[in-house]
Amino acid sequence: MNGIVSFFSGPAYIALYTYREGIRKKVLIGFLVLSLLVIFGSSFISSFLDPSSETDIDLKLIKDICVTAISIFGVLITIYISASVVPGEVESKVIYTILSKPVRRIQYLLGKFLGAQMIIIVNLLLMGVLFFMALYLRQGVMPTLLLWSLLLTYFEFLIVSAFTFAFSCAATSPLVPTIGGLFIYITGNLTEYLKDVEHRAGQTGQALDKIIGDIASALHAILPNLQNFSIKMQIINGQPNDPPTDVLIPNLILYGLVYCLAGFACAYLVFWRKEV
Amino acid sequence: MLATFKHLHSLFVMALIVAALAAGAFMNARLRHLRESEAFYRWILAAAVNERLFQEDSARDQDLDLYNRCAAVMETMPGFSGLPAPDDANTGELTALGTIAGNYEQDETIWNFARSAEMEELRQEFLALARERKLRFAQDIQYADAQAGGVNVFNLFFGFRKVAANFVWLEVDRYWHQGNTYRMITLMRTCVALDPQFIDAYLIGAWHLAYNATARMPDTPWPQREWHPRYEKCLGEKERFYYTAVDFLKDGIRKNTRNSKLYFDLGFSLYKQKLEDYPNAVKYLTEAVALPHEQYVPRQLFLCLELNEQYEEALAGWKDYAARFLDNPVVQEVAPRFIARNEGFLLENRAAELRKKARETADSAEAERLNNEADVLWEQARAVWESINDPFGEGRKMRMEALDMRQEGRYLEAIAFLDKARWEASDLFNDFSDLIIEIKQEAEIPLTISEKKAVIRESEVGLCAGMPEAEKEKRLRAAEALDSGL
Amino acid sequence: MSAIIKTQRLNKIYEGALRGQDVHALKDLNLEIPEGQIFGYLGPNGSGKTTTVKMLLGLIFPTSGSIEIMGSKSISSSTIKRNIGYLPEGAYYPDFLQGEEILAYYGRLYGLKGKDLKRRIDETLEMVGMQRARKRLLRGYSKGMRQRIGLAQALISDPSILILDEPTTGLDPIARKEIRDILLRLRTEGKTLLISSHELLEVEMICDRVGILFDGVMQTVGAIDELLIQRDMLIEVDGVTENIVSEVATYGVKLEDRIGTRSKFRMEASSSMYDVFELCKSKSLRILSVTPRRESLEELFVRVIGAAEAARR
């Protein structure tokens, strides 16, 4: 028990200071301001609608735009943060002062990853709270379904974050892993097409095409499919007590955690003998 | 030794990665299964709605065939066949699947059915058909879209599609203000194709079509109307808009089977207000009430039940409704009036029935007894109308008086009375006019020209373009029969 | 006197993209640093000093050979690392923090907490003379202040081994003096210091032992008094002629400088004082001064490196 506490206290401090440092980054604040502008801007767009018709269309408009804005800016924040927490310290040589302390590399990585998650969550919450307020002021009802949507959004980010983090551990500057992270996000959203590749490759009957098809099929089985999280858009405008959604949400959370573990293990594999 | 440790450590981490990826692959497969099942589940609900309410069949699509096979599989599954059916459903005509799908509280059952191992084969067939776009009720499955390939990449990203739907709707709104109705319809369809869960688009779209677009349209003369094969009616321009709205809402219902607003608008705004088709209005309003709904929804259902002459149901409904909202002043003010109204109707009807029986019976003593009983009820009905004390009650009272005169054979007096009364009780104008015609026909008094026209109009014997031969023949016969009667 | 840091046949090869681009940064390095001394680790840029230090700290890993610190080979274990303080060269610190916050952060990584931590922060800040700037953000620190706070963070856990990479580079003379004093005080407290530097004057002033590294190979290592013990004799005389110069050369005496009849001769340390006097007497030279001279570290460094470069060619 004591051992566990002391094992996690190091990462906890590293996470805390990573968070404190990260939250001050200008780029982050820029993203945040932009997303807030969009969230508030969506209220103005709805004024283009016929004001006389008493409908909920303006609400839907705000919801859709806000969830999309949170997705886009949130994923940019996620990628940027995950790609820069470790390479940033390698670049500034702060990592020397930390790794020379009695801190194991796994502890360091854990601390950095948790710190990045804290930044991501706080940003997501900030955007979410404003969105929540914007909705509450208009609707007067607690938009509880929104919470589920935000939760799923976070677990989607968690997968992107873990793999970007693994990428960043191999890099020495934040730029390359940032681009890599975007690539991961796009790829993750397109894995559904691999099934199509497999289908088409199977049609020719040539050996090479068959191999391509098999590779596509294997990748489709292994790679995380971020498209699974698209139900976050459905939830906000949907109705409560939808049986498939109730089953999908816990599964998606588990999905996020499993791939997070895979990504983090990759990061450790890269980092544990890395020469800094 | 250190080297061995490094080796083991690397191996361990790699094993961890492999294990995590294997778990990921497992979860991938699981989610894939769930999402396929979800698509299947939504299609089943849509197809069940079609079975229960729309009863549409299209030769081109294979929905019905697949649905029937699903239903057949369900019959064989022990876990599902013995489930309790909802009380008010007419279970006789529906499959077990259709019956269960009729009750939203059993969505869980349908969901378990859709994801069950027994359905694996049919589920795969469903996906294959959906991919080939052979299922009309499953056209919006993003999942199938992605696999069909070549779809707009935007489809896949961030839910841009749904945001785009909002912007398309802003455009629809603009066209509406410009009065560009036809262009508006096209865009509305685009809008719901982008976001099939856009409930308000269906609602407002249908409302625009049925009300605003048709507001200044004149009635189309019969010869210029066209036959609508699905609805089996002759439609003018106005009616075409009504039915476009009906179709639009039905489309919305198929894609959002559990939204009471859509059923309500279909039943109330369209079938009751515009098409005056009360059986259908009752049908859809019943659905709306069966789902989680707003407080005003049942009131419209009871009104439609009354209009559809289902007084017993209306009465029971109002009583239950009044008992449920004891602290709502509006309900407590409105409900007693309608309870009384339906009681009045019931009493009148029962009296009329008894009198009819009395006329038919050969035994004069029995007839005497029945007539006396009827008179008691008749007086009770009059007392009810008295107690309501509003123009409608007054009108009903006058109607009863006229019927009394008719009973006594004072036809001309009754006609004169009604003719005068109908201008006073404007609510019942049509009712009184119909009664005048009825009495005139009973007394063999010739009808006026306008009355004849009214009879013909009501009888739906009009002919229009595109009508099938059999229908045309039938209507010509009916017209001849009617003509000879006049 | 036991070695607290010991390396055996330590090799480091930085692998390039191609085999030909590999860099052999350390070659069979055997290093022994005794406890309680200040060890000056010298060498020109790129000689492998930082590589050695990083390997000692477990930041990079040896290609072959072994490292032993405090008698243990598992140098990345926290029991060993707890006893090492490290001041990296020109390191940046998270500069959104105040001086004392950064000490608190690093102190916590050492497992310090509560009162202990507070006491250590006060002590180290006192030691490096940063008490007044403790509440200021690092962003506003001068270079000297950064170096001091760096030293403070290396000292926070009161380690028995201190590894300092260029501790006085870029500082003004007064700051150098102060840092030097701190280091000497640490030695009196019984700590072992490894100073990697090319500030030879500083090293000469405070180190007990030095090692000179060139091209990944340890050229010379030893106690500074031993290494610089070769003493010359510098004799300044008057009345020198050309004949005498050529004649004395046979005795192993070298002419160092000559202005008119006054000359400076250098004699090897082995030659005896009496011989010198005898020679001067026989040539009737007037002795102006006799100075026994110790070689400076700089001279040693240049000589050693020069020899090594010549050998490489």
Side-chain angles (χ1 to χ4, degrees), chain C residues 62-91:
Chain C
T63 309
S64 69
S66 69
I67 302 172
E68 214 175 279
I69 296 176
M70 299 172 80
S72 164
K73 283 199 174 174
S74 53
I75 54 164
S76 59
S77 79
S78 46
T79 39
I80 298 300
K81 279 196 169 177
R82 213 174 290 282
N83 289 305
I84 301 178
Y86 173 51
L87 169 71
E89 179 192 357

Side-chain angles (χ1 to χ4, degrees), chain C residues 14-122:
Chain C
Y14 290 112
E15 284 176 25
L18 299 170
R19 182 148 284 233
Q21 290 171 346
D22 286 359
V23 178
H24 203 151
L26 276 185
K27 295 163 190 160
D28 285 340
L29 180 75
N30 294 312
L31 186 67
E32 283 191 29
I33 299 173
E35 192 173 357
Q37 290 199 354
I38 302 183
F39 185 83
Y41 198 36
L42 311 176
N45 291 328
S47 60
K49 298 192 301 284
T50 306
T51 300
T52 315
V53 167
K54 280 184 173 179
M55 275 198 281
L56 292 178
L57 292 161
L59 296 173
I60 58 176
F61 306 96
T63 309
S64 69
S66 69
I67 302 172
E68 214 175 279
I69 296 176
M70 299 172 80
S72 164
K73 283 199 174 174
S74 53
I75 54 164
S76 59
S77 79
S78 46
T79 39
I80 298 300
K81 279 196 169 177
R82 213 174 290 282
N83 289 305
I84 301 178
Y86 173 51
L87 169 71
E89 179 192 357
Y92 297 87
Y93 303 96
D95 62 1
F96 61 94
L97 294 173
Q98 297 170 359
E100 63 174 12
E101 280 177 331
I102 200 142
L103 293 184
Y105 178 24
Y106 287 142
R108 284 184 177 124
L109 293 182
Y110 275 111
L112 294 171
K113 54 187 115 160
K115 273 189 190 149
D116 279 351
L117 179 63
K118 217 169 137 28
R119 184 174 54 79
R120 279 307 299 167
I121 291 173
D122 289 342

Side-chain angles (χ1 to χ4, degrees), chain B residues 1-9:
Chain B
M1 201 201 74
L2 195 67
T4 338
F5 169 73
K6 278 179 210 158
H7 199 63
L8 278 177
H9 194 96

